Amino acid sequence: MVWRAVADDNDPGIDGLTRFRRIGSGGFSTVYVAWEADFSRWVAVKVLHDLDEAAHRRFDRERSLMGRSSGHPNVITPIRSGLTSKGRPYLVMQYMEGGSLEDIIKRGEVLPWREAVALVQPIAEALGESHRSGVLHKDVKPANILLARNGTPSLTDFGISSIRGSAATQTAFTFAHTPPETFVHGVDGRDERSDLYSLASTLYNIIAGHAPFRQKGNDSQLGWVHRIANDPVPGLGVDPYLDQFLASALAKDPAHRPQNAQEFIAGLDRVLAGGDPLVAQGSAASISPVPGSPTGSLGAAPIPSPKSVPAFTVPNYHQRRWVDAAGWVVAIVAVLAVGGAAWFAFLREPTDQVA
């Protein structure tokens, strides 16, 4: 086994665990791999940095929601939790020796599309189970899909998840894989279809080597928002039915996407069988633009190009309306505020497990 770790980590002080190695760190927590002698196994351990009340609430929510979803074989299994000798909350979890899908991308590797689909489908099943139990993940991305030694994928990091219908306590999200409704309604505006959008974006990422709306040399926050909200999904060119599926699963309007995990999985099954993926969908059977939206923008009114200064068009899935100059300024400030908060949270976010 090869450790990707530093040599000077201090033991955080957890009974029953030894030989700690740090494998990830961020603004909120540090993740270690440690040896649990009682069961002769390696485990992953997340230790919280901050001791403030908000950090505790976030940590408690992650424990609760991970436990609520962990009955599925493709969700990381929590083992136990408690306080370190220094009084910091910790969570012991199943350790995944294969690292994350993000690690594969960082190594410059891309996956054959059939292999990528085979990895994503069990995660869709795990999301479906979580959704049926009322849990929305809200941060599906390559870094949060971990691989066992045999290549089996599992979903992790329920740190910004929430119970369906409850108000979110976190505003963080990952720009590259966030659905466009986030920019209109915020994190509270997400639902099951938003998680599936992020999973489709992840599928695209591990085949192409980059997120679908990434544009080299133009990674400004407003540029990201503009492309996510307006640009058609660039085709991968590896299979026409896969391109058709991704255009639907990444549609701007949630009503034009697969409506649940079952439709998502059925669509991918059709792709693997060499058939039209939209036949397997119900209300998502058409990806025609919503009336009033521009050609190529599936279900959303446009956000202006960062290089132009026209009247701002408010992104709305049902109508288009122009606002005056004052409204334009307010809208731009709102987009930048949301984007800035998200980007800051992204930079502080730890990588939970690395091989």
Side-chain angles (χ1 to χ4, degrees):
M1 182 178 296
V2 177
W3 298 109
R4 185 179 304 162
V6 296
D8 59 349
D9 290 323
N10 295 318
D11 187 328
I14 300 174
D15 290 341
L17 299 180
T18 58
R19 300 165 66 183
F20 283 85
R21 299 279 183 166
R22 181 162 61 99
I23 57 174
S25 185
F28 298 109
S29 61
T30 295
V31 179
Y32 303 87
V33 65
W35 180 250
E36 189 174 31
D38 287 348
F39 296 96
S40 298
R41 64 182 177 184
W42 296 102
V43 293
V45 187
K46 176 182 280 190
V47 180
L48 202 66
H49 291 166
D50 299 320
L51 297 176
D52 60 86
E53 185 177 349
H56 271 267
R57 286 198 304 268
R58 182 179 188 271
F59 191 79
D60 287 343
R61 186 178 65 257
E62 178 176 9
R63 289 189 306 174
S64 174
L65 296 181
M66 181 179 287
R68 188 166 176 168
S69 302
S70 64
H72 193 277
N74 296 104
V75 173
I76 287 292
T77 302
I79 297 172
R80 61 186 170 98
S81 64
L83 298 176
T84 70
S85 59
K86 296 180 180 179
R88 300 187 184 279
Y90 71 82
L91 175 63
V92 179
M93 302 168 286
Q94 173 187 9
Y95 174 59
M96 304 293 277
E97 297 94 332
S100 71
L101 295 184
E102 181 70 16
D103 295 330
I104 294 175
I105 295 166
K106 286 181 177 179
R107 291 195 297 265
E109 301 174 16
V110 294
L111 298 180
W113 73 267
R114 289 182 178 275
E115 182 179 336
V117 168
L119 283 173
V120 161
Q121 283 187 305
I123 300 302
E125 294 174 1
L127 282 174
E129 185 68 25
S130 292
H131 295 163
R132 283 188 290 274
S133 67
V135 176
L136 302 176
H137 189 279
K138 296 189 175 182
D139 198 23
V140 179
K141 59 184 179 181
N144 286 340
I145 298 175
L146 306 177
L147 303 174
R149 182 180 299 174
N150 65 1
T152 301
S154 290
L155 185 64
T156 190
D157 199 345
F158 287 74
I160 66 170
S161 301
S162 67
I163 303 296
R164 185 192 298 109
S166 67
T169 58
Q170 295 287 322
T171 59
F173 54 86
T174 302
F175 243 96
H177 302 289
T178 194
E181 56 266 24
T182 305
F183 305 120
V184 182
H185 305 294
V187 176
D188 284 338
R190 297 185 187 183
D191 61 17
E192 291 88 343
R193 299 166 298 181
S194 307
D195 275 352
L196 295 172
Y197 175 103
S198 298
L199 184 58
S201 180
T202 294
L203 173 59
Y204 188 108
N205 199 160
I206 59 178
I207 297 171
H210 59 81
F213 297 104
R214 179 186 177 189
Q215 190 175 93
K216 189 175 182 180
N218 186 15
D219 283 342
S220 68
Q221 293 163 7
L222 189 56
W224 272 105
V225 173
H226 172 73
R227 292 190 298 277
I228 290 171
N230 297 287
D231 286 5
V233 182
L236 289 171
V238 295
D239 180 83
Y241 288 124
L242 179 61
D243 282 344
Q244 190 176 6
F245 172 83
L246 290 170
S248 173
L250 296 170
K252 312 305 180 188
D253 186 346
H256 292 164
R257 302 174 197 155
Q259 297 297 287
N260 51 53
Q262 289 72 28
E263 286 191 6
F264 189 98
I265 294 165
L268 286 177
D269 282 339
R270 291 279 301 174
V271 171
L272 291 172
D276 183 348
L278 301 187
V279 172
Q281 297 178 204
S283 58
S286 170
I287 57 171
S288 301
V290 166
S293 65
T295 302
S297 181
L298 304 180
I303 292 177
S305 165
K307 296 181 179 179
S308 63
V309 194
F312 187 86
T313 306
V314 177
N316 188 294
Y317 299 132
H318 306 292
Q319 64 179 345
R320 298 174 65 187
R321 66 184 180 86
W322 299 99
V323 296
D324 57 18
W328 180 88
V329 172
V330 171
I332 289 291
V333 169
V335 169
L336 291 177
V338 172
W343 190 253
F344 178 73
F346 171 78
L347 291 176
R348 296 186 65 196
E349 184 180 65
T351 299
D352 276 357
Q353 298 189 44
V354 183

